[in-house]
Amino acid sequence: MTAETDATTEVPLTFGAVVRQSRAWLPLIGAAALLGSLGMLALPLALAAAVDTVAAGRDATGPVAAAAGLVLLGVACDLAEAAAETSCAAGASARLRTGLVRRMLAAPHRIARFEPGDLVARMSAGAADAGHAGPSTVGAIAAALPPLGSLAVLVWLDWRLAAAFAAGLALVALVLRLFARQTAAAAQQYQAAQGEMAARLTEAIEGSRTIAAAGTTGAETRRVLAGLPDLARHGLATWKALSAAGARAAIAGPLATIGVLAVAGFLVSGGSLTAGELLAAGQYAMMGAGLGSLTGVVAAVARARAAVARLADVHDLSAMSYGTDDLPAGPGGLEFTSVTVRGDTGPILRDVTFRIPGGALAAVVGTAGSGKSTLAETAVRLRDPDSGTVTLDGRPLPALSRTALRTAAGLATARPALAGATLADAMGPGRPRAAVTAAATAVGAHDFAARLPATYDTPLPEVPMSGGEAQRIGLARAWHAERLLVLDDATSSLDVLSARRIEDALASTGRTRLAVTYDAALAARADLVVWLHEGSVRAVGRHEALWTDPDYRAVFAR
């Protein structure tokens, strides 16, 4: 059987991979940087020729014009390089965001280990920093050209100048290496602290009404901003590394320049160098030993590397694969066989086995933490068991194609995450309006939608909704499921009459229903009850038979 996987690449996300993805722009960036560097290296020679020409009493129009042309060339190259870098980084960031969002949505069984706010920070600021991997790499290579070119020209002028310059250049290289190491560590820690703060802020925004009602705004503000000292410390570490590099550069750079000028002075006095060549030698020494542009490039590479490392954590999530099978004709019978699901701290479900006949209503009950929601997610394959099998009408869920599985099974939850531009998008993404209206009518949401200014076309952020209305929208979205509908406490915010009407509407369709509930009345109406206790099936049977057990009655005593 050939697996059908999500459209995400299996190539590991590395700094080098991000650089290679930017290859369409890198030749232009590299050409502009190379041409600009060559012009920069040629400028001191042009100025030296102008000085020597003037000193000799000849017309210096040619050398001066050449120097002016080289200056204009440098400006043009800088503008072209900046434009290409911006386009390259924007394109790379967009590709990273697109690929990572697809991977996150394709791995619902893995994504829960990340905080939503942290993921948003990685997708926004992190992808923007990582997108500069290509330009910053080219920039780092281009930044090496002035020192190496200066060394080559100084060798051409006089090997003694080059020897003095090489000694100073070694000091500059040591400064840069130390700066790169310190900046990389600080950048990674800064981005991690930023993600933690974003995670707390997202939680606070989602619970803003509860926080306001509880009068805990001040405490929550302090909790959200508790990471500011860490953020400041890591940011300060970056600035300290930069200032330390500046202090070291204040010694290394001038030493290299002084050494070259001292040697050049002796050479001029001995007639080995002209005045113009002395000027050129000094400029090459300053150009090659200058750390201003080099520290900026090194810092950009460090930030990009740190961002790519954080994005790789998300990229490494294995996308859920699908088979190619279609479902055979059947009523929607669901069966768990020796299913075990493990979490970070141990098993959530242990050796769970039960069978729900097609068209039946099964209630899943248990105390908090018994694994009910995990069972619901596993029933519709939002996560795979670590061992055991789940089948629908005799077919293992992983063997089914994406279309077959997602058409046959659906999930509605107590707090549905609603997404889409309009109310219709939230109720039935990509479905015909007639199907959306029919689903809304079945769950009692049509009258609510009809009262809105633009009915189903009302922008979702402008739709005022209670918890019950949000649940109705979530139920409408899951209504398309043809064989199995899993309800994870999905009617808990509705009044008893509304919940019963939805239950009757579901029963009339003949679909299998798996309802996670704390409602004893719903359990009593179910064809069978699956009683979970600490991740294991304590019993399977009718409600009235289980009711004789005091531990079972205690499940509903809340």
Side-chain angles (χ1 to χ4, degrees):
M1 179 181 67
T2 302
E4 171 195 344
T5 58
D6 193 80
T8 52
T9 176
E10 296 301 323
V11 177
L13 184 66
T14 62
F15 186 83
V18 178
V19 172
R20 287 190 293 274
Q21 290 173 5
S22 303
R23 59 182 174 268
W25 284 102
L26 298 188
L28 177 57
I29 297 172
L34 176 61
L35 195 57
S37 295
L38 291 176
M40 183 190 307
L41 290 169
L43 183 58
L45 292 177
L47 293 175
V51 170
D52 288 339
T53 300
V54 171
R58 299 192 301 270
D59 182 14
T61 302
V64 170
L70 290 171
V71 171
L72 292 175
L73 175 64
V75 172
C77 289
D78 286 345
L79 292 175
E81 186 178 357
E85 285 180 353
T86 301
S87 298
C88 179
S93 298
R95 286 192 298 273
L96 285 168
R97 289 178 179 131
T98 300
L100 290 168
V101 167
R102 285 177 177 168
R103 185 168 290 274
M104 285 190 295
L105 296 180
H109 55 319
R110 308 289 186 194
I111 204 66
R113 67 186 180 91
F114 294 96
E115 293 292 339
D118 180 40
L119 286 174
V120 171
R122 295 181 194 228
M123 293 300 103
S124 53
D129 285 336
H132 284 86
S136 65
T137 299
V138 174
I141 296 172
L145 292 178
L148 295 177
S150 298
L151 182 62
V153 175
L154 290 174
V155 169
W156 176 70
L157 289 174
D158 191 288
W159 68 268
R160 289 165 288 190
L161 295 173
F165 178 71
L169 202 59
L171 292 176
V172 171
L174 289 175
V175 171
L176 282 175
R177 183 178 179 183
L178 184 58
F179 172 70
R181 187 182 305 166
Q182 293 173 335
T183 302
Q188 193 157 12
Q189 293 166 347
Y190 184 91
Q191 291 174 7
Q194 195 175 44
E196 292 172 3
M197 280 190 61
R200 289 192 291 268
L201 178 60
T202 301
E203 292 173 0
I205 291 172
E206 290 176 349
S208 57
R209 292 182 179 179
T210 302
I211 293 168
T216 57
T217 302
E220 191 63 23
T221 299
R222 289 190 293 273
R223 186 185 75 88
V224 170
L225 300 179
L228 275 179
D230 287 339
L231 200 66
R233 187 174 68 255
H234 299 316
L236 186 60
T238 302
W239 285 109
K240 282 183 177 178
L242 184 60
S243 61
R248 297 182 187 110
I251 299 173
L255 280 178
T257 304
I258 291 170
V260 171
L261 289 176
V263 173
F266 284 112
L267 293 175
V268 169
S269 63
S272 300
L273 282 184
T274 66
E277 290 172 338
L278 172 64
L279 172 63
Q283 288 183 317
Y284 283 121
M286 289 186 289
M287 182 190 307
L291 282 176
S293 60
L294 292 175
T295 51
V297 169
V298 169
V301 172
R303 288 194 301 271
R305 283 191 175 279
V308 169
R310 281 174 52 77
L311 294 183
D313 291 341
V314 182
H315 184 274
D316 289 345
L317 297 174
S318 56
M320 181 172 284
S321 63
Y322 293 82
T324 57
D325 291 357
D326 289 326
L327 278 167
L334 178 69
E335 185 169 3
F336 277 56
T337 305
S338 302
V339 168
T340 294
V341 177
R342 296 185 179 87
D344 293 336
T345 59
I348 304 174
L349 297 177
R350 298 180 183 85
D351 199 28
V352 171
T353 299
F354 64 86
R355 181 177 178 277
I356 303 174
L361 169 62
V364 179
V365 304
T367 56
S370 58
K372 300 185 298 298
S373 292
T374 299
L375 187 146
E377 292 174 356
T378 307
V380 294
R381 206 181 170 226
L382 291 182
R383 63 189 304 165
D384 285 325
D386 293 284
S387 62
T389 58
V390 182
T391 62
L392 184 61
D393 284 327
R395 286 283 194 277
L397 297 189
L400 299 176
S401 68
R402 182 198 304 275
T403 301
L405 176 60
R406 299 307 169 200
T407 300
L411 171 69
T413 63
R415 296 198 303 171
L418 304 178
T422 65
L423 177 60
D425 292 337
M427 285 186 172
R431 300 191 184 100
R433 179 58 57 87
V436 173
T437 304
T441 301
V443 301
H446 177 69
D447 292 342
F448 158 69
R451 291 194 298 269
L452 296 173
T455 63
Y456 289 94
D457 294 318
T458 302
L460 187 60
E462 298 177 13
V463 176
M465 65 182 79
S466 64
E469 287 158 347
Q471 287 188 346
R472 289 182 193 274
I473 295 170
L475 282 163
R477 184 177 57 193
W479 199 259
H480 73 282
E482 295 177 353
R483 302 197 190 191
L484 170 67
L485 186 57
V486 177
L487 308 172
D488 187 0
D489 212 19
T491 58
S492 57
S493 295
L494 301 178
D495 59 82
V496 175
L497 181 59
S498 296
R500 186 63 184 268
R501 285 175 178 169
I502 292 172
E503 183 185 326
D504 292 341
L506 270 171
S508 67
T509 65
R511 287 176 284 184
T512 305
R513 290 94 67 208
L514 179 67
V516 174
T517 184
Y518 287 99
D519 184 0
L522 175 57
R525 294 192 297 272
D527 299 300
L528 75 158
V529 175
V530 178
W531 176 15
L532 287 181
H533 178 70
E534 295 182 353
S536 300
V537 175
R538 174 85 175 260
V540 177
R542 297 280 300 186
H543 175 75
E544 53 269 26
L546 298 175
W547 191 256
T548 60
D549 189 323
D551 290 340
Y552 179 78
R553 294 196 299 272
V555 170
F556 303 96
R558 60 166 192 155

